Every structure is written in structure tokens, then in C-alpha cells.
Amino acid sequence: MDYTDSRIIFRLLKNPRESLSSIASDLDISAQDMNYRVKKIKEDGIIKRYMLHVNPAVYGKNSLYLAFQNDKTYGGSVSSIIKCLEKIVVYGFSGTEDELHQRKKDMEDSLGTPVMEYRPKVFTGNSSVSPLDLQIINVLRNDPMKKSPDISRILDVKSSTVEKRIDRLRENKLISIIPKLDLSKINIVILGIFTTRPETIEEELEESFFVINDRVSGISLSIEKDIYSANSIIQKIKKIDKNIETMVIYDYDFFE
């Protein structure tokens, strides 16, 4: 895998639904070369699948992230799992306040005391969704990469309308479409960043592909080309937020 392949993966992490022709144009490669490279990336198992994450605010629910540092595993239902080299596993889940309280108790009984807890405030700024948005999300659940013309035929609306609604949902962080990478096959580093200054940090993380924050604190997953650039960005953002927590991620899954 060469530098161009890495740049393609970076772009697909940030926006998997971006047109390949747009990426090819920006990278100054032909459409034929672009199609061949993407096909090879998929055939080699570097991109294993695509996952949809829906902000719980869409359904009027809250979310909670708990990090545990041990070798134990949790067998209950979760919305996300982020595994770090530091033997820290971050679990995310959503629900009502009572449900979150009970889930936290269950996890503590199974895994012990969490080393980190992050509970985003209920996000209300741009969280309003239309009935059409919900229909689109339901289609994307089955196939996050389903093309807009196909969705438009299913829902009997214009393809341009579908594309605009998906873009809006992504821009407002109401949904994220995340490629599942086999990190053993590529020479890149994914950082998990937990900060109390998300807006300032976000400006420095140009390659973030998953962000959730409440403007008071937040979690970002950022891709770096190698361990040296990862160390460089860590040192840079620590000057902004001295209490920031950074971890190297070796596996991740999003289930909703």
C-alpha cells in the first residue's frame, strides 16, 4: 500500500459516501486508477465493512461512555466498543437516565470501577429530524453505503433530496458512517482523544472521522499516517488541553 492508497483511506474514513471521482480529482489520479485502488483495498480486506452510528439524540435518548482497564470482556448489549493498546476498552451505550444508571451498575458489577466516564449533555442544537430523515436512517441501517438513487426509489423522493438530507445528518453529527478497517494490514495509527476542550481540539484534528461532544467535553477518533505524526499531534494538543487523554486504538466497532 503506497501513499496514494493511504490518502484514499483517509478520505473514505472522513466521508465514505464521497464520490470516488471527487477523491480522484483531488489526488490527481485517473478514474480508472481510483476504481482499481478502491477495489484492491476492499479485496485485500483493509476495509472490511461500513458501520452506521446514530446519535441517540435522534430518538430523544442520552448516551454514556465508560472506560475499563482490565482483560475482562462485557457480554451485554452496547452501541460501540473502542479497544486501546493501553488495555483500556471504552464502551458506549444509550437509553433513558434510568436505563443508563442500570447499565452502568451492571457493567461495574462485571468489569469493576471505570477509569473514565463521559456522559454527553443532551444535544438539542440541531437534533431535530424529520419523518423523512428517520426513513433514510432506517434504510442506511441495512446498508450505510446504499446509493442515493436507490434510497430515492425506495422512499419515492428525489435523489438530490436524499443526498442533501444525509449530508445534513452527517454535518450535524446526527449520524456517522464509519469504515471498519483491519489495522493489522495498514501502516496507520488511530488515536482516541478524550478532551474537555472539544471545539479547540477539533480544529487541530483534520483527520478525525468520528466525533461526539457536547461543547464541554468530547471524544474524537483521528487517523494519523504513522506513529511519528501521532506523537506530534499528541504533543500539540496537550499544549491546548493539559488534561487530555490520548490512546492508541487497535480495534473498534459501532453497532448503532
Side-chain angles (χ1 to χ4, degrees):
M1 188 179 73
D2 61 15
Y3 177 75
T4 300
D5 290 330
S6 296
R7 294 309 304 169
I8 291 172
I9 291 173
F10 277 32
R11 291 287 289 268
L12 292 177
L13 273 169
K14 293 190 72 173
N15 181 9
R17 295 181 63 88
E18 183 177 7
S19 72
L20 298 186
S21 60
S22 174
I23 299 175
S25 176
D26 289 347
L27 299 182
D28 196 23
I29 61 176
S30 68
Q32 183 179 10
D33 187 19
M34 181 69 189
N35 290 332
Y36 171 78
R37 287 175 180 273
V38 172
K39 182 180 178 182
K40 189 74 165 57
I41 287 169
K42 293 179 179 179
E43 288 178 346
D44 289 346
I46 294 173
I47 295 180
K48 302 172 73 173
R49 65 181 184 277
Y50 293 91
M51 305 173 289
L52 177 71
H53 176 270
V54 182
N55 190 318
V58 169
Y59 303 110
K61 295 184 177 181
N62 301 323
S63 57
L64 176 64
Y65 293 85
L66 297 174
F68 297 87
Q69 189 171 26
N70 53 49
D71 294 321
K72 299 178 181 178
T73 57
Y74 180 68
S77 175
V78 296
S79 59
S80 60
I81 301 176
I82 302 171
K83 298 180 180 179
C84 310
L85 289 180
E86 296 81 357
K87 288 188 176 181
I88 291 178
V89 180
V90 181
Y91 297 93
F93 44 97
S94 62
T96 64
E97 282 300 317
D98 288 343
E99 289 170 340
L100 294 183
H101 178 76
Q102 184 59 50
R103 184 65 61 82
K104 180 183 177 183
K105 182 179 181 304
D106 292 343
M107 296 191 80
E108 288 177 337
D109 290 342
S110 176
L111 304 175
T113 302
V115 295
M116 190 186 312
E117 176 177 341
Y118 171 49
R119 185 191 296 260
K121 294 180 180 178
V122 178
F123 178 67
T124 58
N126 292 306
S127 62
S128 61
V129 294
S130 68
L132 176 58
D133 291 329
L134 294 176
Q135 289 178 307
I136 292 172
I137 290 172
N138 284 333
V139 174
L140 293 176
R141 270 204 190 92
N142 295 322
D143 181 3
M145 295 297 289
K146 201 170 194 66
K147 296 184 181 300
S148 295
D150 295 331
I151 298 175
S152 71
R153 283 191 287 271
I154 294 171
L155 302 181
D156 193 24
V157 294
K158 292 181 179 179
S159 178
S160 59
T161 299
V162 170
E163 197 64 38
K164 288 177 182 177
R165 301 308 295 181
I166 292 176
D167 286 344
R168 175 188 172 278
L169 290 168
R170 289 187 62 257
E171 288 168 3
N172 290 333
K173 297 182 175 60
L174 295 175
I175 66 169
S176 300
I177 298 171
I178 306 165
K180 169 72 172 179
L181 300 181
D182 186 339
L183 296 175
S184 69
K185 296 182 177 181
I186 46 179
N187 184 31
I188 63 172
V189 177
I190 293 182
L191 293 177
I193 299 164
F194 303 80
T195 178
T196 56
R197 300 183 63 182
E199 290 186 319
T200 306
I201 295 300
E202 191 172 341
E203 295 175 0
E204 302 295 336
L205 300 175
E206 296 181 359
E207 303 297 349
S208 291
F209 64 93
F210 174 76
V211 178
I212 182 168
N213 67 61
D214 56 12
R215 305 190 186 281
V216 177
S217 58
I219 299 173
S220 296
L221 302 188
S222 178
I223 184 171
E224 304 298 332
K225 64 181 180 180
D226 54 39
I227 196 66
Y228 301 105
S229 61
N231 181 63
S232 176
I233 196 67
I234 289 172
Q235 299 307 316
K236 188 175 183 179
I237 59 181
K238 278 190 172 181
K239 292 179 181 179
I240 299 172
D241 180 2
K242 64 180 181 179
N243 296 317
I244 200 167
E245 296 282 351
T246 59
M247 304 171 194
V248 177
I249 293 168
Y250 70 87
D251 196 14
Y252 58 95
D253 271 297
F254 291 85
F255 307 103
E256 173 60 15

